[in-house]
Amino acid sequence: MTKLKAAHAAQTNLPRRQFLRGGALASALVTVSPALMRSSAADAPVVKSFELAEMTLAELRAGLETGKWTARGLVEKYLARIADVDRQGPAINAIIELNPDADAIAAALDQERKADHVRGPLHGIPVLIKDNIDTHDRMKTTAGSLALADSTPARDSFVAERLRAAGAVILGKTNLSEWANFRSTHATSGWSGRGRQTHNPYVLDRNPCGSSSGSGAAVAANLCAVAVGTETDGSVVCPSSACSLVGLKPTLGLVSRAGIIPIAHSQDTAGPMTRTVADAAALLTALVGYDPRDPATGASRGKAQADYTQFLDAAGLRGARIGVARKSFGFNDQVDRLMSDAIAELKRQGAVIIDPADIATAGKFDDSEFEVLLYEFKADLNTYLAGRPASAVGTLKDIIAFNEQHRAEEMPYFGQEIMIRAQAKGPLTSKPYLLALAKNHRLARTEGIDATLAKFRLDALIAPTGGPVWPTDLLNGDHFTGGYSTPSAVAGYPHITVPAGYVRGLPVGLSFFSRAWSEPQLLKYAYAYEQATRLRQPPKFLPTVDLRTT
């Protein structure tokens, strides 16, 4: 979960807008030395040129088909890139562990290709996945915690199974905000006890946002072709916005959560993090499917698509009725200017803009969202751990005790207040939980996104995904300033972000969101906007923001 704003607001009883202004003030008060203010591209670490830089899945696939590359060759090239950028040079620290079998897996896939057996569009493509997604191999799955470092999952997650079946090479695991950022109210996104701090490849002293921070930083820095993240509230879309990526949070139940270390079953989902909308559509195609281990996927029958790339249409915005969630604006003047440019471009592409088209209930379920997450975290994590063989921890209570016993390694900067509050909660039959969950669904779905789309006769809504990210601050934690994710997250509805530009070199994303199972339309709109603007730029690994630039 990225947006612990809900947790803070619930504790302090501040109104949402007042709380966001407080976050903006905290960010503004971070001290920046004059030397750092004078930093420029000339100060950036020297990074070797990379043959595969910004390569799309289609370009990599074409090279494999013609014999220009082999899967094994791609693995070797990406491993060299990781050594140059992740371990040395800028040292962004996006990857928590590499797959010791990646080379052998790639070699076997090359043999399959020689035998005219190609599993699918991802055959031979190196992919990274977040370190809360189970793999039954020689890699660990730890959610960034040392508490799980000595055990291995009993089987692959559904996501890993689907990737392997599609022919992808799981190159390694990415770092994350420990326990998907559901440990402390003062946590720093991108930090874990096992992996330490991940840095934003655009500006190294800035945060990559969380909790899929490593996946976002890795894709942005071209350490892999594509990556998979997970989201409860903002953890796919925020790091994607912060790293100038396309991030897609699917409808709840479109992608199975079986074998993913949970926060909350009412909101959790895995999703693609890529450099282009076409790559997001291709990766989503590989991930979807019914899974009896996750009952929520039953709802996807008849709604999941066999190929999401079929909806990519450069003219897809023509005639689309797009609403502007104007109350998500106003936290940063330069972001607002980028959004004005985006709205103007949407009009040029033929969209009908309805402005404002606000979600009347937005901000009215922050308290109930956090309440539900506390209950479900305890219940869902205990269920997950019960199926984890030979683990040093079997319950949330055990994890809390482990952290206390290993305070120097696990809690040098922030504590575990959220975990302690979750541990105090009762079962999922508790009346406060049931009332909060019903409130969430009513305000986020029926009276929220659904009502807004119906009132204004909309196909989708837009909002800024987030602002320019804050400096990483291990002393005080994150400084969220504003953006959009919560209504779609609480509703369990799809949400895609696409690059919308830069503020002093820091990426900003544009969000498209709509009703359940609307991934085809959202991909179409995001693709049309992307093709019209082509705003993504690769990172320069600047040490800090140059405040003299615009």
mmCIF file of all heavy atoms in Angstrom, residues 464-487:
data_model
loop_
_atom_site.group_PDB
_atom_site.id
_atom_site.type_symbol
_atom_site.label_atom_id
_atom_site.label_comp_id
_atom_site.label_asym_id
_atom_site.label_seq_id
_atom_site.Cartn_x
_atom_site.Cartn_y
_atom_site.Cartn_z
ATOM 1 N N PRO A 464 -4.513 13.762 -12.046
ATOM 2 C CA PRO A 464 -3.064 13.571 -11.904
ATOM 3 C C PRO A 464 -2.805 12.393 -10.978
ATOM 4 O O PRO A 464 -3.410 12.289 -9.911
ATOM 5 C CB PRO A 464 -2.589 14.888 -11.279
ATOM 6 C CG PRO A 464 -3.799 15.459 -10.598
ATOM 7 C CD PRO A 464 -4.977 15.011 -11.401
ATOM 8 N N THR A 465 -1.919 11.492 -11.383
ATOM 9 C CA THR A 465 -1.613 10.331 -10.548
ATOM 10 C C THR A 465 -0.897 10.755 -9.279
ATOM 11 O O THR A 465 -1.153 10.213 -8.195
ATOM 12 C CB THR A 465 -0.744 9.324 -11.314
ATOM 13 O OG1 THR A 465 -1.275 9.143 -12.628
ATOM 14 C CG2 THR A 465 -0.707 7.987 -10.598
ATOM 15 N N GLY A 466 0.013 11.708 -9.403
ATOM 16 C CA GLY A 466 0.758 12.193 -8.251
ATOM 17 C C GLY A 466 1.604 13.380 -8.644
ATOM 18 O O GLY A 466 1.685 13.750 -9.822
ATOM 19 N N GLY A 467 2.236 13.970 -7.646
ATOM 20 C CA GLY A 467 3.092 15.116 -7.910
ATOM 21 C C GLY A 467 4.535 14.707 -8.070
ATOM 22 O O GLY A 467 4.866 13.515 -7.993
ATOM 23 N N PRO A 468 5.414 15.658 -8.312
ATOM 24 C CA PRO A 468 6.840 15.351 -8.323
ATOM 25 C C PRO A 468 7.212 14.744 -6.968
ATOM 26 O O PRO A 468 6.839 15.283 -5.923
ATOM 27 C CB PRO A 468 7.505 16.714 -8.516
ATOM 28 C CG PRO A 468 6.426 17.643 -8.932
ATOM 29 C CD PRO A 468 5.147 17.094 -8.430
ATOM 30 N N VAL A 469 7.927 13.636 -6.969
ATOM 31 C CA VAL A 469 8.158 12.928 -5.714
ATOM 32 C C VAL A 469 9.095 13.688 -4.780
ATOM 33 O O VAL A 469 9.932 14.473 -5.211
ATOM 34 C CB VAL A 469 8.712 11.504 -5.955
ATOM 35 C CG1 VAL A 469 7.607 10.575 -6.417
ATOM 36 C CG2 VAL A 469 9.870 11.518 -6.924
ATOM 37 N N TRP A 470 8.912 13.422 -3.530
ATOM 38 C CA TRP A 470 9.614 14.082 -2.431
ATOM 39 C C TRP A 470 11.030 13.513 -2.274
ATOM 40 O O TRP A 470 11.309 12.389 -2.693
ATOM 41 C CB TRP A 470 8.825 13.853 -1.147
ATOM 42 C CG TRP A 470 8.609 12.396 -0.856
ATOM 43 C CD1 TRP A 470 9.355 11.577 -0.066
ATOM 44 C CD2 TRP A 470 7.579 11.559 -1.409
ATOM 45 N NE1 TRP A 470 8.864 10.281 -0.080
ATOM 46 C CE2 TRP A 470 7.774 10.252 -0.910
ATOM 47 C CE3 TRP A 470 6.504 11.780 -2.286
ATOM 48 C CZ2 TRP A 470 6.943 9.171 -1.230
ATOM 49 C CZ3 TRP A 470 5.680 10.709 -2.617
ATOM 50 C CH2 TRP A 470 5.900 9.430 -2.096
ATOM 51 N N PRO A 471 11.933 14.262 -1.624
ATOM 52 C CA PRO A 471 13.241 13.693 -1.297
ATOM 53 C C PRO A 471 13.080 12.539 -0.307
ATOM 54 O O PRO A 471 12.279 12.630 0.628
ATOM 55 C CB PRO A 471 13.985 14.865 -0.653
ATOM 56 C CG PRO A 471 13.248 16.090 -1.080
ATOM 57 C CD PRO A 471 11.824 15.671 -1.231
ATOM 58 N N THR A 472 13.810 11.478 -0.518
ATOM 59 C CA THR A 472 13.785 10.364 0.425
ATOM 60 C C THR A 472 14.249 10.861 1.792
ATOM 61 O O THR A 472 15.284 11.511 1.919
ATOM 62 C CB THR A 472 14.682 9.225 -0.067
ATOM 63 O OG1 THR A 472 14.127 8.700 -1.292
ATOM 64 C CG2 THR A 472 14.761 8.103 0.957
ATOM 65 N N ASP A 473 13.455 10.547 2.816
ATOM 66 C CA ASP A 473 13.691 11.104 4.140
ATOM 67 C C ASP A 473 13.515 9.999 5.182
ATOM 68 O O ASP A 473 12.403 9.729 5.632
ATOM 69 C CB ASP A 473 12.705 12.254 4.388
ATOM 70 C CG ASP A 473 12.919 12.975 5.708
ATOM 71 O OD1 ASP A 473 13.747 12.507 6.513
ATOM 72 O OD2 ASP A 473 12.239 13.992 5.933
ATOM 73 N N LEU A 474 14.606 9.353 5.535
ATOM 74 C CA LEU A 474 14.534 8.259 6.506
ATOM 75 C C LEU A 474 14.232 8.749 7.915
ATOM 76 O O LEU A 474 13.789 7.966 8.765
ATOM 77 C CB LEU A 474 15.854 7.477 6.496
ATOM 78 C CG LEU A 474 16.102 6.636 5.243
ATOM 79 C CD1 LEU A 474 17.545 6.171 5.186
ATOM 80 C CD2 LEU A 474 15.155 5.452 5.190
ATOM 81 N N LEU A 475 14.440 10.029 8.157
ATOM 82 C CA LEU A 475 14.185 10.573 9.485
ATOM 83 C C LEU A 475 12.691 10.782 9.735
ATOM 84 O O LEU A 475 12.171 10.432 10.791
ATOM 85 C CB LEU A 475 14.931 11.896 9.660
ATOM 86 C CG LEU A 475 14.831 12.553 11.044
ATOM 87 C CD1 LEU A 475 15.454 11.650 12.109
ATOM 88 C CD2 LEU A 475 15.530 13.906 11.025
ATOM 89 N N ASN A 476 11.991 11.330 8.740
ATOM 90 C CA ASN A 476 10.578 11.675 8.913
ATOM 91 C C ASN A 476 9.615 10.804 8.130
ATOM 92 O O ASN A 476 8.405 10.864 8.344
ATOM 93 C CB ASN A 476 10.358 13.138 8.506
ATOM 94 C CG ASN A 476 11.129 14.098 9.375
ATOM 95 O OD1 ASN A 476 10.961 14.106 10.586
ATOM 96 N ND2 ASN A 476 12.001 14.888 8.766
ATOM 97 N N GLY A 477 10.125 10.031 7.183
ATOM 98 C CA GLY A 477 9.240 9.222 6.357
ATOM 99 C C GLY A 477 8.765 9.962 5.120
ATOM 100 O O GLY A 477 9.314 10.998 4.732
ATOM 101 N N ASP A 478 7.718 9.435 4.485
ATOM 102 C CA ASP A 478 7.238 9.966 3.215
ATOM 103 C C ASP A 478 6.509 11.300 3.388
ATOM 104 O O ASP A 478 5.956 11.595 4.443
ATOM 105 C CB ASP A 478 6.292 8.967 2.548
ATOM 106 C CG ASP A 478 7.018 7.727 2.049
ATOM 107 O OD1 ASP A 478 8.224 7.812 1.786
ATOM 108 O OD2 ASP A 478 6.362 6.670 1.920
ATOM 109 N N HIS A 479 6.493 12.071 2.282
ATOM 110 C CA HIS A 479 5.823 13.368 2.264
ATOM 111 C C HIS A 479 4.866 13.424 1.069
ATOM 112 O O HIS A 479 5.102 14.141 0.109
ATOM 113 C CB HIS A 479 6.837 14.511 2.151
ATOM 114 C CG HIS A 479 7.936 14.461 3.164
ATOM 115 N ND1 HIS A 479 7.712 14.570 4.509
ATOM 116 C CD2 HIS A 479 9.270 14.298 3.013
ATOM 117 C CE1 HIS A 479 8.870 14.493 5.150
ATOM 118 N NE2 HIS A 479 9.822 14.320 4.273
ATOM 119 N N PHE A 480 3.806 12.656 1.111
ATOM 120 C CA PHE A 480 2.842 12.697 0.017
ATOM 121 C C PHE A 480 2.195 14.069 -0.064
ATOM 122 O O PHE A 480 1.830 14.658 0.950
ATOM 123 C CB PHE A 480 1.763 11.638 0.219
ATOM 124 C CG PHE A 480 2.240 10.241 -0.001
ATOM 125 C CD1 PHE A 480 2.491 9.411 1.074
ATOM 126 C CD2 PHE A 480 2.445 9.753 -1.280
ATOM 127 C CE1 PHE A 480 2.936 8.116 0.888
ATOM 128 C CE2 PHE A 480 2.892 8.464 -1.483
ATOM 129 C CZ PHE A 480 3.132 7.640 -0.395
ATOM 130 N N THR A 481 2.031 14.555 -1.265
ATOM 131 C CA THR A 481 1.449 15.874 -1.447
ATOM 132 C C THR A 481 0.086 15.835 -2.118
ATOM 133 O O THR A 481 -0.709 16.763 -1.960
ATOM 134 C CB THR A 481 2.388 16.760 -2.277
ATOM 135 O OG1 THR A 481 2.691 16.113 -3.518
ATOM 136 C CG2 THR A 481 3.678 17.032 -1.513
ATOM 137 N N GLY A 482 -0.209 14.829 -2.885
ATOM 138 C CA GLY A 482 -1.506 14.744 -3.555
ATOM 139 C C GLY A 482 -1.454 13.812 -4.740
ATOM 140 O O GLY A 482 -0.403 13.309 -5.127
ATOM 141 N N GLY A 483 -2.625 13.592 -5.328
ATOM 142 C CA GLY A 483 -2.737 12.693 -6.461
ATOM 143 C C GLY A 483 -3.940 11.802 -6.313
ATOM 144 O O GLY A 483 -4.753 11.937 -5.393
ATOM 145 N N TYR A 484 -4.054 10.844 -7.243
ATOM 146 C CA TYR A 484 -5.246 9.996 -7.291
ATOM 147 C C TYR A 484 -4.885 8.523 -7.207
ATOM 148 O O TYR A 484 -3.966 8.069 -7.889
ATOM 149 C CB TYR A 484 -6.032 10.222 -8.585
ATOM 150 C CG TYR A 484 -7.215 9.273 -8.686
ATOM 151 C CD1 TYR A 484 -8.423 9.599 -8.064
ATOM 152 C CD2 TYR A 484 -7.104 8.042 -9.322
ATOM 153 C CE1 TYR A 484 -9.486 8.719 -8.095
ATOM 154 C CE2 TYR A 484 -8.167 7.159 -9.353
ATOM 155 C CZ TYR A 484 -9.356 7.497 -8.741
ATOM 156 O OH TYR A 484 -10.410 6.617 -8.758
ATOM 157 N N SER A 485 -5.602 7.781 -6.375
ATOM 158 C CA SER A 485 -5.578 6.316 -6.416
ATOM 159 C C SER A 485 -6.682 5.710 -5.570
ATOM 160 O O SER A 485 -7.200 4.644 -5.892
ATOM 161 C CB SER A 485 -4.217 5.753 -5.953
ATOM 162 O OG SER A 485 -4.026 5.919 -4.564
ATOM 163 N N THR A 486 -7.084 6.365 -4.477
ATOM 164 C CA THR A 486 -7.896 5.703 -3.458
ATOM 165 C C THR A 486 -9.284 5.244 -3.924
ATOM 166 O O THR A 486 -9.661 4.097 -3.661
ATOM 167 C CB THR A 486 -8.001 6.600 -2.214
ATOM 168 O OG1 THR A 486 -6.693 6.742 -1.647
ATOM 169 C CG2 THR A 486 -8.915 5.994 -1.163
ATOM 170 N N PRO A 487 -10.090 6.058 -4.607
ATOM 171 C CA PRO A 487 -11.411 5.550 -4.995
ATOM 172 C C PRO A 487 -11.344 4.280 -5.848
ATOM 173 O O PRO A 487 -12.096 3.327 -5.596
ATOM 174 C CB PRO A 487 -12.022 6.725 -5.768
ATOM 175 C CG PRO A 487 -11.382 7.933 -5.152
ATOM 176 C CD PRO A 487 -9.960 7.511 -4.892
#
